[in-house]
Amino acid sequence: MAPFSFGAGNVAKLLRIPLYALGRVATLAIPRGQRWVFGCGAGIGDGALALWNRAKEDNVDAVWLVDSNRDADDAKARGIPTARKNSWRGFWLTARARVLVVTHGLGDVNRYANGGAFIVQLWHGIPLKRIGLDSPETVKLPFGSGSRLLRALMARLYRGTTSQISVIPAASHLIRGRLESAFGLVDERVIVTGEPRVDPLSADDAVTRAERARGILHERVGELPATVLLYAPTWRDGTDDVAIPTAADWREIVAVLERHDAVLLVRSHPLGAGRYALPPDVASERVHMLGSDVLRDVTPALPAVTALITDYSSMLFDVGLTPSAVVFLAPDVEAYARTRGFYGSYRDVAGDDYATTWSAATAQIDELLSDPDTLAVRRERAAKLSARVHDFRDGNNTQRVYREIQRRLTLSPRKGTL
């Protein structure tokens, strides 16, 4: 089972209400200084790292808050000063910071000390599945039908938290509307600048990006052939991936990989779970696990991927910025639409030929690797899908976000809000 679900997380939030209240009182009395404090729910990476690097070019006083030894070590290797986010020092740094930069939620920094700060919410992907206030799963509780009042309280708490966001960048005007709705924000707080997290997919030339991406993968999984497939299912709120291959599926997958001299990298969601180990009689060096324990931030590695296999992951919008194809494998579309919901319909994104079994997906993979024309068509489909949601492809998203933050701080020097 996954280590986190909405239900368990929301129960914890309700139990922490007194601590939130005490923290709010404390931040009313503690003056904010000039420092920036960074945090990221996925470790040292994502859009937070891109913005960190840009801020340090201007010698911005900044610190990164971590909650694991691995993240502390990763930061140290990059020369990034850190503190433990749930320590007293983490509380003090957050309470004194002028700017808080997060990618998932305010729990990326010290969750009790954010009142009055200029909060930059970078988010961590273009939503296909409904998020925030647009999804009933966000306020889900494990108490059954008797929890209606508590769910209403959770929705109010969530809206109160998101109302503190000062700036959140959107990849396009289309995505801007989704973020405004999901976070309950007014127009001027959602800025169409492009997302810092995808700058590695547009910066430099295609050859340089591909070489850099292959270098990342080589460091993590070893030497790779020219053809690299990436399987990246989305998070299912604490339950296993419904498309974990069976023994028969693995035999078909490995046969295709061997036929085309390819490898498959399995990227389970950082909050997800799944037993992806191959059966002993199908063991193959052509399948590698690439979870967040192996590679924290997979986005810079996407230019090395020939084809992405996914269901609802936001990566399906990102690989189109590179010459990659997408194979859609979604065995639970109807159930997922009922519980989580989509922005638009799944067919708007995946078309009518998405696979619902590994056997069907494997056949599509075999075809695109056998026929250059089919691969070209798949790449073109991915590029057109990406063009619908990404307005910028110049590698300068981070620069635009940074400039806008600085402009707004100048306009509101004390509170940092509009």
Side-chain angles (χ1 to χ4, degrees):
M1 293 297 289
F4 177 82
S5 67
F6 275 126
N10 287 338
V11 169
K13 289 176 184 177
L14 290 174
L15 294 175
R16 290 194 296 257
I17 286 177
L19 295 177
Y20 285 114
L22 289 173
R24 181 56 179 150
V25 171
T27 56
L28 289 173
I30 299 172
R32 293 197 171 272
Q34 297 299 314
R35 179 179 285 126
W36 292 29
V37 167
F38 286 72
C40 175
I44 311 301
D46 214 298
L49 181 58
L51 190 58
W52 170 279
N53 290 335
R54 177 61 187 88
K56 294 311 289 183
E57 290 178 10
D58 283 355
N59 295 314
V60 170
D61 180 16
V63 64
W64 198 298
L65 298 190
V66 300
D67 63 356
S68 72
N69 290 336
R70 177 183 176 177
D71 290 348
D73 291 342
D74 288 348
K76 183 178 180 180
R78 295 176 179 272
I80 297 175
T82 64
R84 294 288 174 154
K85 69 179 182 182
N86 292 322
S87 66
W88 279 111
R89 183 163 185 259
F91 176 88
W92 179 254
L93 288 169
T94 304
R96 289 279 291 137
R98 185 183 192 190
V99 177
L100 302 177
V101 178
V102 299
T103 60
H104 290 64
L106 293 180
D108 292 351
V109 291
N110 189 287
R111 66 180 73 247
Y112 306 115
N114 48 67
F118 185 102
I119 297 174
V120 180
Q121 167 58 279
L122 297 176
W123 201 235
H124 51 278
I126 291 175
L128 166 60
K129 59 192 176 189
R130 289 183 174 272
I131 61 172
L133 296 168
D134 292 336
S135 174
E137 294 294 290
T138 302
V139 294
K140 180 180 178 180
L141 290 165
F143 303 141
S145 59
S147 63
R148 182 177 298 176
L149 290 177
L150 288 177
R151 286 171 66 92
L153 175 60
M154 280 306 311
R156 184 171 181 177
L157 289 174
Y158 187 86
R159 189 178 292 275
T161 298
T162 60
S163 69
Q164 299 177 69
I165 295 171
S166 305
V167 165
I168 181 168
S172 64
H173 287 279
L174 172 64
I175 303 307
R176 176 182 190 170
R178 296 179 186 179
L179 296 177
E180 288 172 353
S181 177
F183 292 100
L185 296 173
V186 294
D187 290 355
E188 61 266 23
R189 301 209 180 188
V190 185
I191 55 175
V192 181
T193 55
E195 300 173 308
R197 66 183 187 85
V198 297
D199 273 346
L201 305 183
S202 300
D204 303 314
D205 59 86
V207 172
T208 301
R209 292 194 297 268
E211 290 178 349
R212 183 166 54 230
R214 289 187 67 84
I216 293 170
L217 294 178
H218 180 270
E219 181 182 349
R220 300 298 179 176
V221 301
E223 194 66 40
L224 298 172
T227 303
V228 177
L229 307 177
L230 176 65
Y231 174 50
T234 197
W235 179 49
R236 283 177 167 78
D237 192 28
T239 62
D240 284 356
D241 173 14
V242 297
I244 295 173
T246 64
D249 292 332
W250 277 125
R251 292 187 188 95
E252 288 188 51
I253 292 167
V254 170
V256 169
L257 296 176
E258 291 177 345
R259 184 155 55 247
H260 298 286
D261 187 20
V263 297
L264 175 66
L265 307 178
V266 179
R267 176 74 176 185
S268 57
H269 192 281
L271 294 179
R275 296 174 292 274
Y276 296 101
L278 277 68
D281 62 330
V282 195
S284 173
E285 293 183 356
R286 294 188 176 275
V287 178
H288 302 271
M289 300 300 118
L290 194 71
S292 61
D293 58 327
V294 178
L295 178 62
R296 276 291 202 232
D297 187 358
V298 73
T299 302
L302 293 182
V305 173
T306 307
L308 169 71
I309 304 132
T310 190
D311 42 22
Y312 323 118
S313 170
S314 62
M315 265 189 269
L316 65 89
F317 294 116
D318 300 335
V319 294
L321 293 169
T322 74
S324 299
V326 180
V327 173
F328 293 93
L329 171 58
D332 62 340
V333 172
E334 293 182 1
Y336 202 83
R338 286 195 304 271
T339 56
R340 187 65 182 264
F342 299 112
Y343 291 102
S345 73
Y346 190 59
R347 280 185 167 81
D348 290 340
V349 169
D352 295 323
D353 59 347
Y354 62 87
T356 57
T357 66
W358 263 109
S359 182
T362 304
Q364 292 185 18
I365 295 166
D366 193 17
E367 182 183 9
L368 72 87
L369 294 183
S370 301
D371 181 8
D373 290 337
T374 300
L375 177 58
V377 168
R378 288 270 181 173
R379 284 176 169 172
E380 180 63 21
R381 282 178 58 178
K384 288 182 177 179
L385 178 60
S386 178
R388 284 164 48 185
V389 297
H390 287 288
D391 281 357
F392 301 95
R393 299 170 190 80
D394 57 5
N396 291 319
N397 298 342
T398 305
Q399 175 70 5
R400 279 185 288 271
V401 172
Y402 180 74
R403 282 200 304 254
E404 185 60 19
I405 293 170
Q406 292 289 14
R407 186 186 73 83
R408 296 186 182 212
L409 288 174
T410 300
L411 293 174
S412 304
R414 188 178 191 288
K415 288 288 186 179
T417 55
L418 294 171

